[in-house]
């Protein structure tokens, strides 16, 4: 089962599910309640109408409504004007309550009156890969090795030269459908030297939510830290770092070490799998085989500290992009 803790915002207005799905709607911001967090459980990692009744949110059966975008706007009296940036949204109903979930973060509502909602019945993929693409070379005590050649019980080295035991290696192969809901499966392509000479030392592909170590003159000002971990997709500049939509078949690999660490992937400082991300991946055990390590680690999941402070998407966009040399 794919399980993910998600933040949702309840919609308390009068517009029903059928109307939301039928056409673009302007919904008053005042019709939304306070954001809350709950647990979504889904059998295959894909949320759609075929799952109605089988998927649950906080134990209640889910009826899927749709996915698409919302855009903040203001009412000028005779017409509404969209002012904000469109934000991805997933809309579903559970226990008679309609919820809006924003996978990449909430829209900026400051100064706005309504949300322009534009959704359709396209399924939403709960799976959010957090991993290295096949062929990525990871630094080990005996040199750099392709990630697919590594095994549990072997050692890798972090950015400071410390040796770490590999607790678990996971792999999943994805064939990416040509549908918007699966766009987050495409990897980010990082050109050689995109973050400075040798960082990375060759073209590298990471999943979009994989975090890399970055530094900025603004890091200390905003967050009180010299170096932070940031999702690589938020560093995309359309040139040296960009989402590679030409990739429709990709094999992703995960490395779980005895602690969360910053590894060197083709010379680029990038994180190992953090235990708190296991649920975020939304991947079923069937996708990986028996994930026995999760049972062994038990209460450690979610409690292991991150190797560096973690930035959210909007925080990353505040900073000038500069990768930490390896």
């Amino acid at each position: 089962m794919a399980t993910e803790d998600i933040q949702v915002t309840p919609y308390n207005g009068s517009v029903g599910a059928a109307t939301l799905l039928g056409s673009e709607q302007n919904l008053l911001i005042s019709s939304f309640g306070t954001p809350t967090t709950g647990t979504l459980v889904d059998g295959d990692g894909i949320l759609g109408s075929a799952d109605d009744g089988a998927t649950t949110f906080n134990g209640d059966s889910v009826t899927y409504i749709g996915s698409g975008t919302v855009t903040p706007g203001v009412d000028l009296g005779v017409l509404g004007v969209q002012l904000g940036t469109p934000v991805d949204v997933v809309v579903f109903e559970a226990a008679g309550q309609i919820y809006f979930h924003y996978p990449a973060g909430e829209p900026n509502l400051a100064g706005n009156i309504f949300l322009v909602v534009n959704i359709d019945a396209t399924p939403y993929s709960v799976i959010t890969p957090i991993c290295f693409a096949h062929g990525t070379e990871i630094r080990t005590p005996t040199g750099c090795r392709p990630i697919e050649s590594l095994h549990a019980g072997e050692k890798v080295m972090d950015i400071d030269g410390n040796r770490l035991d590999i607790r678990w290696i996971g792999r999943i192969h994805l064939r990416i459908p040509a549908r918007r809901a699966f766009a987050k499966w495409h990897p980010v392509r990082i050109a050689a030297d995109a973050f400075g000479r040798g960082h990375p030392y060759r073209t590298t592909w990471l999943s979009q939510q994989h975090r890399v170590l970055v530094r900025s003159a603004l890091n200390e000002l905003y967050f009180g830290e010299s170096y932070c971990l940031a999702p690589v997709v938020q560093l995309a500049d359309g040139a040296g770092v960009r989402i590679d939509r030409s990739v429709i078949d990709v094999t992703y690999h995960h490395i779980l070490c005895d602690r969360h660490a910053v590894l060197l992937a083709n010379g680029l400082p990038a994180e190992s799998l953090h235990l708190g991300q296991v649920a975020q991946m939304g991947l079923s055990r069937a996708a990986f085989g028996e994930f026995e390590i999760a049972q062994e680690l038990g209460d450690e999941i979610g409690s292991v500290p991150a190797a560096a402070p973690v930035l959210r998407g909007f925080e990353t966009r505040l900073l000038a992009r500069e990768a930490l040399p390896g």
Side-chain angles (χ1 to χ4, degrees):
M1 301 290 287
T3 301
E4 186 171 9
D5 289 332
I6 63 173
Q7 180 171 287
V8 297
T9 302
Y11 170 66
N12 302 318
S14 59
V15 178
T19 304
L20 284 173
L21 190 58
S23 61
E24 184 178 280
Q25 297 291 318
N26 292 351
L27 304 183
L28 290 172
I29 292 173
S30 60
S31 297
F32 290 86
T34 303
T36 185
T37 300
T39 302
L40 183 74
V41 179
D42 183 73
D44 59 3
I46 308 298
L47 187 60
S49 59
D51 296 325
D52 288 354
T55 300
T56 63
F57 179 71
N58 285 344
D60 296 313
S61 296
V62 163
T63 298
Y64 179 70
I65 298 175
S67 62
T69 63
V70 299
T71 307
V74 297
D75 188 351
L76 298 183
V78 294
L79 76 164
V81 178
Q82 300 181 30
L83 295 181
T85 301
V87 172
D88 289 340
V89 68
V90 180
V91 186
F92 63 87
E93 186 174 357
Q97 175 68 61
I98 293 177
Y99 294 102
F100 280 55
H101 167 54
Y102 305 105
E106 295 183 342
N108 181 4
L109 303 180
N112 292 290
I113 303 299
F114 60 80
L115 286 179
V116 180
V117 181
N118 188 357
I119 63 174
D120 59 34
T122 301
Y124 166 71
S125 55
V126 178
I127 296 174
T128 304
I130 306 173
C131 20
F132 302 95
H134 192 83
T136 303
E137 293 186 345
I138 304 298
R139 188 171 72 169
T140 77
T142 58
C144 294
R145 290 174 52 188
I147 190 169
E148 61 270 21
S149 73
L150 298 174
H151 301 90
E154 295 186 302
K155 293 185 182 294
V156 291
M157 295 181 68
D158 68 10
I159 192 172
D160 297 317
N162 300 309
R163 299 186 179 200
L164 302 170
D165 292 325
I166 299 175
R167 301 290 298 274
W168 176 75
I169 289 279
R171 182 183 68 179
I172 186 171
H173 176 78
L174 299 174
R175 182 169 181 81
I176 305 172
R179 302 209 303 272
R180 184 180 60 197
F182 298 89
K184 62 185 176 182
W185 288 4
H186 291 292
V188 172
R189 181 186 186 275
I190 307 165
D193 304 324
F195 291 94
R197 185 172 180 84
H199 312 294
Y201 53 71
R202 69 178 191 182
T203 303
T204 300
W205 285 265
L206 299 176
S207 61
Q208 294 182 33
Q209 295 304 319
H210 203 123
R211 296 183 295 226
V212 298
L213 202 64
V214 296
R215 71 179 180 186
S216 165
L218 298 179
N219 263 29
E220 190 76 36
L221 174 64
Y222 284 132
F223 311 113
E225 301 287 349
S226 298
Y227 305 111
C228 295
L229 286 165
V232 69
V233 68
Q234 300 296 341
L235 303 174
D237 58 10
V241 183
R242 60 179 175 82
I243 297 175
D244 193 345
R245 294 180 176 85
S246 69
V247 176
I248 59 173
D249 278 276
V250 60
T251 299
Y252 284 126
H253 299 260
H254 314 271
I255 294 182
L256 183 66
C257 298
D258 47 11
R259 62 175 173 81
H260 189 231
V262 178
L263 307 177
L264 283 175
N266 293 343
L268 179 69
E271 67 175 337
S272 63
L273 181 62
H274 188 272
L275 286 172
Q277 295 167 331
V278 171
Q280 294 175 28
M281 290 188 299
L283 294 171
S284 66
R285 293 189 182 207
F288 287 100
E290 290 300 320
F291 188 17
E292 296 175 355
I293 191 69
Q295 297 175 336
E296 294 175 11
L297 293 171
D299 292 338
E300 292 182 33
I301 293 180
S303 65
V304 176
V310 175
L311 300 182
R312 290 172 290 179
F314 76 91
E315 292 171 329
T316 304
R317 291 189 291 271
L318 289 174
L319 306 178
R321 177 172 58 83
E322 182 184 355
L324 172 67

